Amino acid sequence: MELREKNRVLDWNNMRKIGILTRDCAGINAAIRSVVRTAYFYGIEVLGILKGYEGLIEGELIPLDRRSVSGIINLGGTILKTSRSTRFLTQEGQREAVETMKDNGIEGLIVIGGNGSLRGAHEFAVKHIIPVIAVPATIDNDINGVDAAIGADTAINVALDAVDKIRDTAMSLERIFVVEVMGRDCGYIALTVALAGGCEEVLLPEREFDINRICDEISEGNAKGKVSWIIIVAEGRAKAPNIAKKITEITGLETREVVLGHIQRGGRATASDRILAARYGNFAVELLKEGESDKCVALRNNKLISIPLGEAIKPKDIEVENYYKLIKILT
Ligand code: F6P
């Protein structure tokens, strides 16, 4: 209360009320907390928008005060819930979203999410001249110009923990395992987990693969005494059961598949993701307060910067060939 009064006297902010909507991944609740408490610090009210853009269209809003974000810093998912909104892709849907903002006195918007959310944020900011700041949060870490998106570190660590456990069985039973990780369009999780997990091979959406070449390598290794392999597959490249079946057919070696799925997106965020969420959420409010719009907060060389949203939604180069080469050298 004291701070709020003090800040009113200093008149730090012109913006009185902002809205916040999110996608889901680990660390998003920590970002919501940071936005709400930073806004409170500056005497700005926050309305939580339920179910993403769909809630903005429908006017599904809840007030978020500093107490309402107590005890959420360690929770996975998003307390605001989320959805994919096809209506927000239409002019009519966006017009209704603008109406919700006007009717509720929302002067600026913070959008926390991945590529789809950021594309929506960019279009909304540009077409309707609405102050919008985006916060990158996606396990795929594929936001251009941004070193780290919230949720990616947690997802990699969840997948890595699983791979380490699978290796125990792979070694003990002398088996091949094909482990499918998330990443429909982006192989970031697959690449980083393959490197961190010391895996022998990785199949990626960005890279063609030759199953015969992989099986030749396995057979040659097996002839020299190698007895276990872990092959990581990004879901957007191939399905683990199909790859496992092929390997058994070609090499005659016992091969099992594991599909990790959505356990990679939920759960307790790592310290690194929570710290990122605290920094990004705070910076997003400050940018809105300073009158910025159509920007994305970003970490580059461990410095917080803002970049144009139009740049953030371009394809990101995740250095596939460099990582892949290193994985193959180290196996
Ligand atoms: O973009 C994040 C992501 O988790 C991808 O890695 C994955 O391919 C996709 O979302 C899955 O989306 P959904 O949960 O809608 O199936």
Side-chain angles (χ1 to χ4, degrees):
M1 195 62 198
E2 260 180 15
L3 265 180
R4 187 194 288 257
E5 291 310 320
K6 186 174 133 212
N7 298 341
R8 285 219 171 110
V9 173
L10 292 174
D11 195 21
W12 277 355
N13 57 289
N14 298 318
M15 198 159 276
R16 310 303 306 172
K17 199 190 273 182
I18 62 173
I20 175 173
L21 64 85
T22 79
R23 280 295 289 173
D24 80 297
C25 68
I28 283 194
N29 284 326
I32 295 172
R33 174 181 178 270
S34 174
V35 165
V36 170
R37 295 212 166 154
T38 302
Y40 175 82
F41 178 82
Y42 290 121
I44 302 171
E45 264 182 75
V46 182
L47 287 179
I49 299 157
L50 300 178
K51 300 183 191 152
Y53 289 120
E54 202 57 26
L56 190 57
I57 293 169
E58 291 294 326
E60 288 190 67
L61 312 170
I62 50 162
L64 292 174
D65 61 20
R66 64 188 313 280
R67 280 286 143 251
S68 62
V69 292
S70 293
I72 67 166
I73 198 164
N74 55 336
L75 298 182
T78 170
I79 59 162
L80 294 177
K81 301 192 184 289
T82 193
S83 65
R84 281 197 202 285
S85 174
T86 46
R87 279 202 291 166
F88 194 72
L89 303 174
T90 66
Q91 281 312 301
E92 180 56 17
Q94 289 187 12
R95 205 188 47 73
E96 288 178 42
V98 172
E99 286 308 309
T100 301
M101 291 189 65
K102 278 192 194 151
D103 292 349
N104 292 280
I106 303 172
E107 296 163 312
L109 197 61
I110 292 181
V111 173
I112 306 180
N115 264 314
S117 308
L118 268 51
R119 265 194 296 276
H122 176 54
E123 199 179 312
F124 199 51
V126 171
K127 283 198 181 151
H128 302 278
I129 329 283
I130 302 256
V132 182
I133 300 294
V135 173
T138 164
I139 61 171
D140 292 341
N141 204 20
D142 58 349
I143 307 299
N144 185 46
V146 178
D147 288 351
I150 298 167
D153 186 63
T154 305
I156 293 162
N157 278 293
V158 167
L160 183 61
D161 182 55
V163 165
D164 285 348
K165 287 170 178 153
I166 289 163
R167 186 174 292 288
D168 292 345
T169 301
M171 301 281 282
S172 305
L173 277 109
E174 305 192 342
R175 275 181 187 161
I176 301 169
F177 273 89
V178 179
V179 182
E180 186 178 313
V181 298
M182 286 184 109
R184 195 169 31 217
D185 306 312
C186 177
Y188 180 79
I189 298 177
L191 263 185
T192 48
V193 167
L195 182 59
C199 302
E200 282 78 4
E201 188 58 74
V202 58
L203 311 186
L204 305 156
E206 297 88 347
R207 212 172 181 280
E208 296 295 323
F209 70 96
D210 176 357
I211 193 73
N212 291 314
R213 194 263 306 155
I214 293 169
C215 288
D216 284 350
E217 273 183 23
I218 292 172
S219 297
E220 280 164 28
N222 189 247
K224 290 181 195 154
K226 184 170 168 61
V227 289
S228 69
W229 277 260
I230 296 184
I231 296 163
I232 305 290
V233 184
E235 66 175 331
R237 176 80 266 174
K239 296 292 150 219
N242 299 342
I243 299 294
K245 193 162 165 262
K246 266 259 171 316
I247 293 174
T248 303
E249 272 168 21
I250 299 174
T251 66
L253 297 172
E254 188 177 6
T255 310
R256 296 291 178 95
E257 73 273 357
V258 178
V259 179
L260 295 182
H262 285 79
I263 63 162
Q264 295 157 94
R265 214 156 75 192
R268 267 179 85 233
T270 58
S272 176
D273 272 335
R274 294 187 209 184
I275 292 163
L276 194 60
R279 296 177 76 189
Y280 277 174
N282 171 271
F283 191 39
V285 174
E286 297 201 330
L287 289 173
L288 266 187
K289 197 173 73 66
E290 283 158 16
E292 294 280 353
S293 181
D294 195 27
K295 294 276 164 61
C296 177
V297 301
L299 196 70
R300 220 179 271 171
N301 303 325
N302 208 29
K303 291 262 179 303
L304 273 180
I305 58 167
S306 68
I307 61 174
L309 256 172
E311 185 190 326
I313 58 176
K314 288 182 184 159
K316 180 178 181 178
D317 175 10
I318 60 162
E319 292 194 49
V320 166
E321 291 311 320
N322 289 343
Y323 270 85
Y324 187 79
K325 189 175 165 201
L326 184 55
I327 288 162
K328 296 308 282 181
I329 289 173
L330 298 183
T331 52

